[in-house]
Amino acid sequence: MFNEYNLEEIRDRARAAFIGMAIGDALGATVEFMTKTEIAGKYGTFREIIGGGWLRLKAGQVTDDTEMALCIARAIIRNQAWSRDAIAENFAVWLKGRPVDCGDTCRKGIRRYMLHGTLESPPNEWDAGNGAVMRLLPAAIYSLPDRHLLEKYLLEQAHITHNNPVSDAACLCLGTMIHLAISGASKNLLRREADGLAARFPTFRFEPYRGLATGYVVDTLQTVFHCVFKGKNFEECLVGTVNQGGDADTTGAICGMLAGAYYGMEGIPRRWIKRMDKGVIAEIEAVTDKLVAASPLGASDG
């Protein structure tokens, strides 16, 4: 799928995926843990980055979704190589810094690493939260266009905290869809990938949509897929997703990365970018370009 590619377009879509993730995180955090009905009652249709929410964030501030992805990106760039140790160490430093939020499974896995140096959590049927999926974007970009590296990187970063077949399947599906979208694939091809996941794991079926947007990775991806394939542009996809409420910062982050990769920078509303933390956006732009340059795709272009 990358045989005839425009490296500048790849950079644009990768950048849009990472910035889209941060925007979805910041937008969704305001309505996290609210119900769809509560959001409608308070905001009508919620569509502006205003901060607040249960975490009392500043407008444009991101949460653990974006912060953990940046931990992975920094580890890759500093080492100029894939290193689970470096990623886990960055997670540990981040957790010690008392982040604004951290999911229970992520916290447990990071603490296990801090106490025992464990880089792979033991298999656990209950660890099917969305914490491994929400942060996978740097691994997807750094592996471009190699599907074998994609699988290796996705599962190794996931297993630091989440070692569960349902979480693994979600990571592999979303990572593949990110590769496809960054390469300029059609929505039909993306849909085929999502339908393939539902064929292998029927629990992921998202039509008819059940209206659940919890932190369970199945509910998370059902919400994202429903809204991405229904939406006609980046804003429609993201607004549809976060207005489902529930784990809205994470469903928003995942929708933002997928829709960003598909629609590119031109598709992201400028008003949202302007509301974001400028330091976060500047770092995202810098690390994304470095991840693309360090990937097999970027290296082959040099």
Side-chain angles (χ1 to χ4, degrees), residues 38-292:
E38 287 169 342
I39 295 168
K42 185 169 182 178
Y43 299 105
T45 300
F46 179 71
R47 59 188 334 121
E48 302 303 332
I49 295 173
I50 58 173
W54 76 280
L55 292 170
R56 296 187 174 90
L57 301 176
K58 296 174 186 170
Q61 185 178 353
V62 296
T63 74
D64 51 337
D65 305 70
T66 306
E67 288 171 350
M68 292 191 83
L70 283 170
C71 284
I72 295 173
R74 292 173 193 137
I76 294 168
I77 291 162
R78 190 176 65 242
N79 284 269
Q80 287 298 296
W82 181 260
S83 167
R84 279 190 304 169
D85 298 82
I87 292 167
E89 191 56 36
N90 276 6
F91 286 167
V93 170
W94 170 74
L95 188 62
K96 287 175 192 171
R98 300 194 174 183
V100 67
D101 191 25
C102 181
D104 290 341
T105 306
C106 287
R107 185 184 303 275
K108 186 172 63 178
I110 296 166
R111 285 186 59 78
R112 187 184 294 113
Y113 165 76
M114 290 163 67
L115 292 169
H116 307 294
T118 309
L119 291 170
E120 181 157 342
S121 297
N124 188 328
E125 64 177 304
W126 305 110
D127 287 348
N130 54 25
V133 180
M134 71 185 191
R135 64 185 190 230
L136 61 72
L137 184 59
I141 296 171
Y142 183 57
S143 61
L144 288 167
D146 191 315
R147 291 289 292 272
H148 295 294
L149 285 179
L150 175 70
E151 182 170 343
K152 170 183 161 65
Y153 295 165
L154 291 181
L155 297 185
E156 286 189 358
Q157 69 82 25
H159 289 177
I160 295 171
T161 56
H162 294 65
N163 192 346
N164 176 280
V166 178
S167 168
D168 287 355
C171 284
L172 293 172
C173 176
L174 183 66
T176 301
M177 291 172 78
I178 295 292
H179 267 205
L180 286 167
I182 288 176
S183 77
S186 67
K187 267 203 184 178
N188 284 339
L189 273 177
L190 300 183
R191 178 63 191 252
R192 197 180 304 166
E193 201 62 41
D195 287 341
L197 174 66
R200 293 187 300 275
F201 291 81
T203 186
F204 279 102
R205 283 184 189 141
F206 54 96
E207 283 189 349
Y209 176 55
R210 296 182 305 146
L212 298 175
T214 74
Y216 176 42
V217 74
V218 171
D219 295 344
T220 297
L221 285 199
Q222 284 176 340
T223 299
V224 170
F225 292 163
H226 170 73
C227 295
V228 164
F229 294 122
K230 188 179 171 189
K232 301 292 190 294
N233 54 50
F234 181 90
E235 184 166 352
E236 270 190 28
C237 295
L238 192 51
V239 168
T241 297
V242 301
N243 276 271
Q244 297 298 325
D247 198 10
D249 62 330
T250 300
T251 58
I254 294 169
C255 173
M257 75 171 84
L258 185 55
Y262 180 76
Y263 290 105
M265 285 301 301
E266 208 172 89
I268 301 178
R270 296 298 305 171
R271 76 179 196 281
W272 280 348
I273 297 175
K274 287 177 182 174
R275 293 290 285 168
M276 294 297 294
D277 181 306
K278 288 179 173 53
V280 169
I281 296 298
E283 182 178 11
I284 284 173
E285 289 176 337
V287 299
T288 305
D289 288 352
K290 288 175 182 174
L291 288 170
V292 172

